[in-house]
Short mmCIF file of all heavy atoms in Angstrom, two decimals:
data_model
loop_
_atom_site.label_atom_id
_atom_site.label_comp_id
_atom_site.label_asym_id
_atom_site.label_seq_id
_atom_site.Cartn_x
_atom_site.Cartn_y
_atom_site.Cartn_z
N MET A 1 0.85 -1.21 0.04
CA MET A 1 0.01 -0.05 0.03
C MET A 1 0.85 1.28 -0.01
O MET A 1 0.60 2.22 -0.67
CB MET A 1 -0.94 0.00 1.24
CG MET A 1 -2.14 -0.88 1.05
SD MET A 1 -3.24 -0.39 -0.28
CE MET A 1 -4.63 0.16 0.66
N ALA A 2 1.92 1.22 0.76
CA ALA A 2 2.77 2.42 0.91
C ALA A 2 3.44 2.75 -0.35
O ALA A 2 4.23 1.98 -0.92
CB ALA A 2 3.74 2.24 2.04
N ARG A 3 3.16 3.91 -0.94
CA ARG A 3 3.80 4.27 -2.15
C ARG A 3 4.98 5.22 -1.84
O ARG A 3 4.94 6.03 -1.06
CB ARG A 3 2.76 4.99 -3.04
CG ARG A 3 1.79 3.99 -3.70
CD ARG A 3 1.19 4.72 -4.97
NE ARG A 3 2.26 5.13 -5.87
CZ ARG A 3 1.95 5.63 -7.06
NH1 ARG A 3 0.73 5.81 -7.42
NH2 ARG A 3 2.92 6.00 -7.83
N GLY A 4 6.00 4.98 -2.70
CA GLY A 4 7.20 5.77 -2.40
C GLY A 4 7.94 5.21 -1.29
O GLY A 4 7.47 5.24 -0.16
N LYS A 5 9.14 4.61 -1.56
CA LYS A 5 9.81 3.95 -0.52
C LYS A 5 10.51 5.04 0.39
O LYS A 5 11.07 5.97 -0.05
CB LYS A 5 10.96 3.07 -1.13
CG LYS A 5 10.36 1.88 -1.73
CD LYS A 5 11.41 1.02 -2.42
CE LYS A 5 10.83 -0.07 -3.23
NZ LYS A 5 11.83 -0.68 -4.14
N SER A 6 10.39 4.69 1.65
CA SER A 6 11.04 5.46 2.65
C SER A 6 12.45 4.87 2.96
O SER A 6 12.51 3.71 3.14
CB SER A 6 10.28 5.59 3.96
OG SER A 6 9.19 6.48 3.73
N THR A 7 13.43 5.71 3.01
CA THR A 7 14.70 5.21 3.38
C THR A 7 15.02 5.55 4.82
O THR A 7 14.78 6.74 5.22
CB THR A 7 15.79 5.94 2.44
OG1 THR A 7 15.42 5.58 1.04
CG2 THR A 7 17.18 5.34 2.76
N PHE A 8 15.40 4.60 5.55
CA PHE A 8 15.81 4.84 6.93
C PHE A 8 17.23 5.32 7.01
O PHE A 8 18.05 4.84 6.33
CB PHE A 8 15.65 3.57 7.77
CG PHE A 8 14.22 3.12 7.97
CD1 PHE A 8 13.57 2.39 6.98
CD2 PHE A 8 13.53 3.58 9.10
CE1 PHE A 8 12.26 2.06 7.25
CE2 PHE A 8 12.19 3.27 9.28
CZ PHE A 8 11.53 2.48 8.31
N CYS A 9 17.43 6.31 7.82
CA CYS A 9 18.76 6.81 7.93
C CYS A 9 19.00 7.22 9.40
O CYS A 9 18.11 7.57 10.13
CB CYS A 9 18.99 8.02 7.03
SG CYS A 9 17.82 9.27 7.12
N THR A 10 20.27 7.10 9.77
CA THR A 10 20.66 7.47 11.11
C THR A 10 21.60 8.68 11.08
O THR A 10 22.43 8.78 10.14
CB THR A 10 21.43 6.25 11.80
OG1 THR A 10 20.61 5.09 11.63
CG2 THR A 10 21.61 6.51 13.25
N TRP A 11 21.45 9.53 12.00
CA TRP A 11 22.30 10.75 12.03
C TRP A 11 23.37 10.56 13.13
O TRP A 11 23.03 10.34 14.29
CB TRP A 11 21.38 11.95 12.28
CG TRP A 11 20.45 12.17 11.22
CD1 TRP A 11 19.18 11.73 11.08
CD2 TRP A 11 20.65 13.02 10.02
NE1 TRP A 11 18.61 12.15 10.01
CE2 TRP A 11 19.47 12.95 9.33
CE3 TRP A 11 21.69 13.82 9.60
CZ2 TRP A 11 19.29 13.69 8.09
CZ3 TRP A 11 21.58 14.51 8.41
CH2 TRP A 11 20.37 14.41 7.71
N TYR A 12 24.58 10.76 12.69
CA TYR A 12 25.72 10.63 13.60
C TYR A 12 26.30 11.99 13.82
O TYR A 12 26.48 12.76 12.98
CB TYR A 12 26.75 9.69 13.01
CG TYR A 12 26.33 8.25 12.91
CD1 TYR A 12 25.61 7.81 11.73
CD2 TYR A 12 26.54 7.35 13.91
CE1 TYR A 12 25.21 6.51 11.61
CE2 TYR A 12 26.12 6.04 13.85
CZ TYR A 12 25.40 5.60 12.70
OH TYR A 12 25.10 4.31 12.60
N CYS A 13 26.63 12.18 15.08
CA CYS A 13 27.25 13.42 15.50
C CYS A 13 28.60 13.50 14.85
O CYS A 13 29.38 12.62 14.79
CB CYS A 13 27.40 13.41 17.05
SG CYS A 13 28.36 14.82 17.64
N GLY A 14 28.85 14.74 14.26
CA GLY A 14 30.08 14.95 13.52
C GLY A 14 31.27 15.06 14.49
O GLY A 14 32.46 15.03 14.02
N ASP A 15 31.03 15.14 15.81
CA ASP A 15 32.14 15.33 16.71
C ASP A 15 32.43 13.96 17.35
O ASP A 15 33.50 13.45 17.26
CB ASP A 15 31.72 16.33 17.78
CG ASP A 15 32.95 16.96 18.42
OD1 ASP A 15 34.02 16.44 18.23
OD2 ASP A 15 32.81 18.01 19.08
N CYS A 16 31.48 13.43 18.13
CA CYS A 16 31.73 12.23 18.90
C CYS A 16 31.35 11.04 18.10
O CYS A 16 31.51 9.85 18.51
CB CYS A 16 31.01 12.26 20.21
SG CYS A 16 29.23 12.28 20.13
N ASN A 17 30.72 11.20 17.00
CA ASN A 17 30.29 10.11 16.08
C ASN A 17 29.21 9.19 16.68
O ASN A 17 29.02 8.07 16.33
CB ASN A 17 31.47 9.27 15.67
CG ASN A 17 31.36 8.94 14.18
OD1 ASN A 17 30.82 9.70 13.40
ND2 ASN A 17 31.85 7.81 13.76
N LYS A 18 28.48 9.69 17.63
CA LYS A 18 27.45 8.93 18.31
C LYS A 18 26.13 8.99 17.46
O LYS A 18 25.77 10.08 17.00
CB LYS A 18 27.26 9.46 19.71
CG LYS A 18 26.28 8.61 20.56
CD LYS A 18 25.90 9.36 21.74
CE LYS A 18 24.72 8.67 22.47
NZ LYS A 18 23.71 9.56 22.95
N ALA A 19 25.53 7.89 17.33
CA ALA A 19 24.17 7.87 16.66
C ALA A 19 23.12 8.60 17.47
O ALA A 19 22.87 8.16 18.61
CB ALA A 19 23.75 6.51 16.34
N GLY A 20 22.60 9.67 16.95
CA GLY A 20 21.74 10.43 17.76
C GLY A 20 20.27 10.35 17.31
O GLY A 20 19.40 10.26 18.14
N TYR A 21 20.04 10.34 15.98
CA TYR A 21 18.65 10.44 15.55
C TYR A 21 18.45 9.41 14.42
O TYR A 21 19.36 9.12 13.64
CB TYR A 21 18.30 11.78 14.98
CG TYR A 21 18.45 12.91 16.05
CD1 TYR A 21 19.67 13.54 16.27
CD2 TYR A 21 17.31 13.24 16.76
CE1 TYR A 21 19.75 14.52 17.21
CE2 TYR A 21 17.44 14.30 17.72
CZ TYR A 21 18.66 14.88 17.91
OH TYR A 21 18.70 15.86 18.87
N THR A 22 17.25 8.87 14.37
CA THR A 22 16.90 8.07 13.22
C THR A 22 15.65 8.70 12.60
O THR A 22 14.67 9.00 13.22
CB THR A 22 16.58 6.67 13.74
OG1 THR A 22 17.66 6.20 14.47
CG2 THR A 22 16.39 5.71 12.56
N THR A 23 15.79 8.90 11.30
CA THR A 23 14.63 9.43 10.52
C THR A 23 14.40 8.58 9.29
O THR A 23 15.17 7.76 8.87
CB THR A 23 14.88 10.85 10.13
OG1 THR A 23 16.12 10.96 9.46
CG2 THR A 23 15.04 11.77 11.35
N THR A 24 13.34 8.95 8.61
CA THR A 24 13.10 8.36 7.28
C THR A 24 13.01 9.52 6.28
O THR A 24 12.69 10.63 6.68
CB THR A 24 11.83 7.56 7.23
OG1 THR A 24 10.72 8.38 7.62
CG2 THR A 24 11.88 6.38 8.18
N TYR A 25 13.34 9.27 5.15
CA TYR A 25 13.12 10.27 4.11
C TYR A 25 12.82 9.62 2.77
O TYR A 25 13.12 8.46 2.56
CB TYR A 25 14.43 11.16 4.01
CG TYR A 25 15.58 10.50 3.30
CD1 TYR A 25 15.84 10.84 1.92
CD2 TYR A 25 16.36 9.62 3.97
CE1 TYR A 25 16.94 10.25 1.32
CE2 TYR A 25 17.46 8.99 3.40
CZ TYR A 25 17.76 9.34 2.06
OH TYR A 25 18.81 8.81 1.44
N ASN A 26 12.18 10.35 1.94
CA ASN A 26 11.80 9.82 0.66
C ASN A 26 12.96 10.16 -0.35
O ASN A 26 13.12 11.28 -0.69
CB ASN A 26 10.51 10.41 0.22
CG ASN A 26 9.89 9.68 -0.92
OD1 ASN A 26 10.55 9.40 -1.96
ND2 ASN A 26 8.65 9.45 -0.90
N LYS A 27 13.51 9.11 -0.89
CA LYS A 27 14.61 9.29 -1.83
C LYS A 27 14.24 10.10 -3.03
O LYS A 27 15.04 10.87 -3.62
CB LYS A 27 15.19 7.96 -2.28
CG LYS A 27 16.34 7.53 -1.38
CD LYS A 27 17.25 6.58 -2.14
CE LYS A 27 18.63 6.49 -1.42
NZ LYS A 27 19.36 5.32 -1.72
N ARG A 28 13.04 9.96 -3.48
CA ARG A 28 12.61 10.70 -4.70
C ARG A 28 12.46 12.18 -4.49
O ARG A 28 12.74 12.96 -5.35
CB ARG A 28 11.34 10.03 -5.23
CG ARG A 28 11.64 8.74 -5.85
CD ARG A 28 10.44 8.29 -6.72
NE ARG A 28 10.68 6.90 -7.26
CZ ARG A 28 9.89 6.29 -8.01
NH1 ARG A 28 8.81 6.85 -8.36
NH2 ARG A 28 10.21 5.10 -8.50
N SER A 29 11.94 12.52 -3.37
CA SER A 29 11.62 13.88 -3.18
C SER A 29 12.78 14.69 -2.54
O SER A 29 13.20 15.69 -3.00
CB SER A 29 10.36 14.15 -2.38
OG SER A 29 10.43 13.37 -1.15
N GLN A 30 13.25 14.16 -1.40
CA GLN A 30 14.21 14.91 -0.70
C GLN A 30 15.70 14.58 -1.15
O GLN A 30 16.58 15.36 -1.23
CB GLN A 30 14.12 14.69 0.77
CG GLN A 30 12.83 15.31 1.31
CD GLN A 30 12.60 14.83 2.74
OE1 GLN A 30 13.52 14.70 3.56
NE2 GLN A 30 11.32 14.57 3.00
N GLU A 31 15.84 13.32 -1.42
CA GLU A 31 17.07 12.73 -1.93
C GLU A 31 18.38 13.10 -1.16
O GLU A 31 18.33 13.15 0.03
CB GLU A 31 17.17 12.99 -3.42
CG GLU A 31 17.87 11.84 -4.06
CD GLU A 31 17.86 11.93 -5.63
OE1 GLU A 31 16.92 12.53 -6.13
OE2 GLU A 31 18.91 11.57 -6.22
N GLU A 32 19.32 13.59 -1.89
CA GLU A 32 20.64 13.86 -1.32
C GLU A 32 20.64 15.31 -0.72
O GLU A 32 21.71 15.78 -0.28
CB GLU A 32 21.74 13.78 -2.36
CG GLU A 32 21.77 12.37 -2.96
CD GLU A 32 22.18 11.30 -2.00
OE1 GLU A 32 23.31 11.43 -1.38
OE2 GLU A 32 21.35 10.41 -1.70
N ALA A 33 19.58 16.02 -0.81
CA ALA A 33 19.55 17.33 -0.40
C ALA A 33 20.04 17.63 1.03
O ALA A 33 20.77 18.53 1.27
CB ALA A 33 18.16 17.93 -0.46
N MET A 34 19.74 16.69 1.93
CA MET A 34 20.20 16.90 3.27
C MET A 34 21.14 15.78 3.69
O MET A 34 20.72 14.75 4.10
CB MET A 34 18.90 16.85 4.15
CG MET A 34 17.89 17.83 3.75
SD MET A 34 17.83 19.29 4.73
CE MET A 34 16.93 18.66 6.19
N LYS A 35 22.38 16.08 3.57
CA LYS A 35 23.43 15.12 3.98
C LYS A 35 23.90 15.39 5.38
O LYS A 35 24.46 14.57 6.05
CB LYS A 35 24.60 15.16 2.96
CG LYS A 35 24.28 14.33 1.76
CD LYS A 35 25.47 13.79 1.14
CE LYS A 35 25.17 12.73 0.11
NZ LYS A 35 26.29 12.21 -0.60
N THR A 36 23.73 16.66 5.78
CA THR A 36 24.12 17.02 7.17
C THR A 36 22.95 17.82 7.76
O THR A 36 22.13 18.43 7.05
CB THR A 36 25.38 17.92 7.13
OG1 THR A 36 25.22 19.02 6.33
CG2 THR A 36 26.55 17.08 6.70
N LYS A 37 22.89 17.79 9.05
CA LYS A 37 21.81 18.49 9.76
C LYS A 37 22.32 19.00 11.04
O LYS A 37 23.13 18.28 11.76
CB LYS A 37 20.71 17.44 10.03
CG LYS A 37 19.35 17.93 9.68
CD LYS A 37 18.37 16.80 10.07
CE LYS A 37 17.15 16.94 9.13
NZ LYS A 37 16.21 15.86 9.45
N ASN A 38 21.93 20.18 11.43
CA ASN A 38 22.43 20.71 12.72
C ASN A 38 21.46 20.27 13.77
O ASN A 38 20.34 20.63 13.83
CB ASN A 38 22.51 22.22 12.60
CG ASN A 38 23.74 22.72 13.28
OD1 ASN A 38 24.81 22.07 13.25
ND2 ASN A 38 23.71 23.87 13.87
N LYS A 39 21.99 19.37 14.64
CA LYS A 39 21.17 18.78 15.62
C LYS A 39 21.85 18.85 17.08
O LYS A 39 23.07 19.04 17.08
CB LYS A 39 20.87 17.31 15.32
CG LYS A 39 20.01 17.15 14.15
CD LYS A 39 18.64 16.74 14.59
CE LYS A 39 17.72 16.11 13.54
NZ LYS A 39 16.42 16.10 14.09
N TYR A 40 21.06 18.65 18.03
CA TYR A 40 21.61 18.71 19.37
C TYR A 40 22.14 17.31 19.75
O TYR A 40 21.46 16.33 19.53
CB TYR A 40 20.55 19.15 20.33
CG TYR A 40 21.05 19.18 21.76
CD1 TYR A 40 21.79 20.29 22.19
CD2 TYR A 40 20.80 18.14 22.65
CE1 TYR A 40 22.29 20.36 23.51
CE2 TYR A 40 21.23 18.24 23.94
CZ TYR A 40 22.05 19.32 24.37
OH TYR A 40 22.50 19.39 25.67
N CYS A 41 23.39 17.28 20.19
CA CYS A 41 23.95 16.06 20.63
C CYS A 41 24.03 16.04 22.13
O CYS A 41 24.49 16.97 22.80
CB CYS A 41 25.41 15.94 20.08
SG CYS A 41 26.25 14.48 20.75
N SER A 42 23.46 14.99 22.72
CA SER A 42 23.35 14.88 24.20
C SER A 42 24.67 14.60 24.85
O SER A 42 24.87 14.74 26.02
CB SER A 42 22.25 13.90 24.61
OG SER A 42 22.54 12.68 23.95
N THR A 43 25.58 14.00 23.97
CA THR A 43 26.91 13.65 24.55
C THR A 43 27.83 14.94 24.54
O THR A 43 28.45 15.15 25.54
CB THR A 43 27.53 12.54 23.65
OG1 THR A 43 26.68 11.53 23.60
CG2 THR A 43 28.82 12.08 24.27
N CYS A 44 27.81 15.68 23.47
CA CYS A 44 28.59 16.86 23.42
C CYS A 44 27.84 18.03 24.07
O CYS A 44 28.46 19.05 24.41
CB CYS A 44 28.83 17.22 21.90
SG CYS A 44 29.67 15.93 20.99
N ARG A 45 26.62 17.87 24.30
CA ARG A 45 25.75 18.91 24.91
C ARG A 45 25.82 20.17 24.16
O ARG A 45 25.95 21.26 24.70
CB ARG A 45 26.13 19.03 26.37
CG ARG A 45 25.86 17.74 27.17
CD ARG A 45 26.47 17.84 28.56
NE ARG A 45 25.69 18.71 29.48
CZ ARG A 45 26.08 18.99 30.69
NH1 ARG A 45 27.14 18.51 31.18
NH2 ARG A 45 25.34 19.87 31.42
N LYS A 46 25.73 20.07 22.85
CA LYS A 46 25.64 21.28 22.03
C LYS A 46 25.09 20.96 20.67
O LYS A 46 25.03 19.72 20.32
CB LYS A 46 27.05 21.87 21.86
CG LYS A 46 27.96 20.96 21.17
CD LYS A 46 29.35 21.60 21.04
CE LYS A 46 30.33 20.61 20.37
NZ LYS A 46 31.67 21.16 20.25
N HIS A 47 24.66 21.96 19.99
CA HIS A 47 24.25 21.74 18.61
C HIS A 47 25.46 21.52 17.72
O HIS A 47 26.42 22.32 17.77
CB HIS A 47 23.40 22.96 18.10
CG HIS A 47 21.98 22.77 18.50
ND1 HIS A 47 21.56 23.23 19.74
CD2 HIS A 47 20.95 22.31 17.82
CE1 HIS A 47 20.21 23.04 19.73
NE2 HIS A 47 19.85 22.46 18.71
N ILE A 48 25.45 20.52 16.91
CA ILE A 48 26.52 20.24 16.07
C ILE A 48 26.00 19.55 14.80
O ILE A 48 24.97 18.97 14.71
CB ILE A 48 27.54 19.32 16.82
CG1 ILE A 48 28.89 19.34 16.10
CG2 ILE A 48 27.00 17.94 17.06
CD1 ILE A 48 30.03 18.96 16.92
N GLU A 49 26.82 19.62 13.80
CA GLU A 49 26.45 19.02 12.55
C GLU A 49 26.45 17.49 12.62
O GLU A 49 27.39 16.90 13.08
CB GLU A 49 27.47 19.46 11.46
CG GLU A 49 26.86 19.42 10.08
CD GLU A 49 27.81 20.06 9.05
OE1 GLU A 49 28.89 19.51 8.77
OE2 GLU A 49 27.42 21.15 8.48
N HIS A 50 25.33 16.90 12.19
CA HIS A 50 25.20 15.47 12.18
C HIS A 50 25.28 14.95 10.74
O HIS A 50 24.83 15.59 9.86
CB HIS A 50 23.87 15.04 12.83
CG HIS A 50 23.92 15.02 14.33
ND1 HIS A 50 24.17 16.22 15.02
CD2 HIS A 50 23.69 14.10 15.21
CE1 HIS A 50 24.06 15.92 16.32
NE2 HIS A 50 23.82 14.66 16.48
N LYS A 51 25.90 13.84 10.60
CA LYS A 51 26.03 13.20 9.23
C LYS A 51 24.97 12.09 9.11
O LYS A 51 24.92 11.28 10.02
CB LYS A 51 27.43 12.71 9.04
CG LYS A 51 28.40 13.78 8.94
CD LYS A 51 29.86 13.16 8.91
CE LYS A 51 30.96 14.26 9.22
NZ LYS A 51 32.16 13.65 9.75
N ARG A 52 24.43 12.06 7.94
CA ARG A 52 23.44 11.09 7.65
C ARG A 52 24.08 9.84 7.15
O ARG A 52 25.02 9.78 6.36
CB ARG A 52 22.47 11.59 6.61
CG ARG A 52 21.21 10.76 6.48
CD ARG A 52 20.41 11.18 5.34
NE ARG A 52 21.00 10.81 4.07
CZ ARG A 52 20.81 11.29 2.92
NH1 ARG A 52 19.97 12.33 2.80
NH2 ARG A 52 21.32 10.89 1.81
N LYS A 53 23.50 8.66 7.63
CA LYS A 53 23.97 7.40 7.09
C LYS A 53 22.70 6.55 6.86
O LYS A 53 21.92 6.27 7.76
CB LYS A 53 24.86 6.76 8.10
CG LYS A 53 25.76 5.68 7.56
CD LYS A 53 26.73 5.19 8.60
CE LYS A 53 27.92 4.46 7.92
NZ LYS A 53 28.85 4.00 8.98
N ASP A 54 22.57 6.14 5.62
CA ASP A 54 21.37 5.33 5.28
C ASP A 54 21.59 3.86 5.85
O ASP A 54 22.59 3.27 5.78
CB ASP A 54 21.27 5.24 3.75
CG ASP A 54 20.94 6.59 3.13
OD1 ASP A 54 20.76 7.54 3.92
OD2 ASP A 54 20.84 6.63 1.95
N THR A 55 20.46 3.46 6.40
CA THR A 55 20.52 2.09 7.00
C THR A 55 19.80 1.12 6.14
O THR A 55 19.81 -0.13 6.32
CB THR A 55 19.97 2.14 8.41
OG1 THR A 55 18.69 2.72 8.39
CG2 THR A 55 20.90 2.85 9.42
N LYS A 56 19.06 1.62 5.15
CA LYS A 56 18.24 0.71 4.28
C LYS A 56 18.05 1.45 2.99
O LYS A 56 17.75 2.64 2.97
CB LYS A 56 16.93 0.50 4.96
CG LYS A 56 16.13 -0.61 4.37
CD LYS A 56 14.84 -0.77 5.19
CE LYS A 56 13.82 -1.64 4.46
NZ LYS A 56 12.52 -1.54 5.05
N SER A 57 18.32 0.73 1.90
CA SER A 57 18.24 1.38 0.59
C SER A 57 16.94 1.09 -0.11
O SER A 57 16.20 0.13 0.28
CB SER A 57 19.35 0.96 -0.33
OG SER A 57 19.46 -0.41 -0.32
ZN1 LIG B 101 28.43 14.50 19.93
#
């Protein structure tokens, strides 16, 4: 039923490399547009750039 595959991805802190967030995105619409995201890291206790890593293609 679900149209348009959602890709699961995990966001890793650019500093401590800890996996912080898991999101899904639609490859067709958003695609590579967001490879980095400024998110709060609870380990570094600051906002820092997170890198996306796809966990499912
Ligand atoms: Zn961190």
Side-chain angles (χ1 to χ4, degrees):
M1 282 296 250
R3 283 203 56 176
K5 285 177 190 167
S6 285
T7 303
F8 288 86
C9 52
T10 309
W11 296 88
Y12 291 89
C13 174
D15 203 347
C16 66
N17 222 35
K18 187 193 170 223
Y21 298 88
T22 309
T23 55
T24 59
Y25 74 102
N26 194 312
K27 262 201 165 163
R28 284 194 185 181
S29 55
Q30 293 168 38
E31 214 172 326
E32 301 295 297
M34 306 258 278
K35 281 206 164 174
T36 57
K37 228 180 208 179
N38 223 34
K39 290 256 197 194
Y40 182 79
C41 175
S42 54
T43 306
C44 303
R45 294 169 75 184
K46 62 179 179 185
H47 276 86
I48 194 159
E49 203 170 68
H50 283 59
K51 291 172 197 158
R52 195 188 73 201
K53 202 173 196 181
D54 295 357
T55 51
K56 196 179 167 190
S57 50

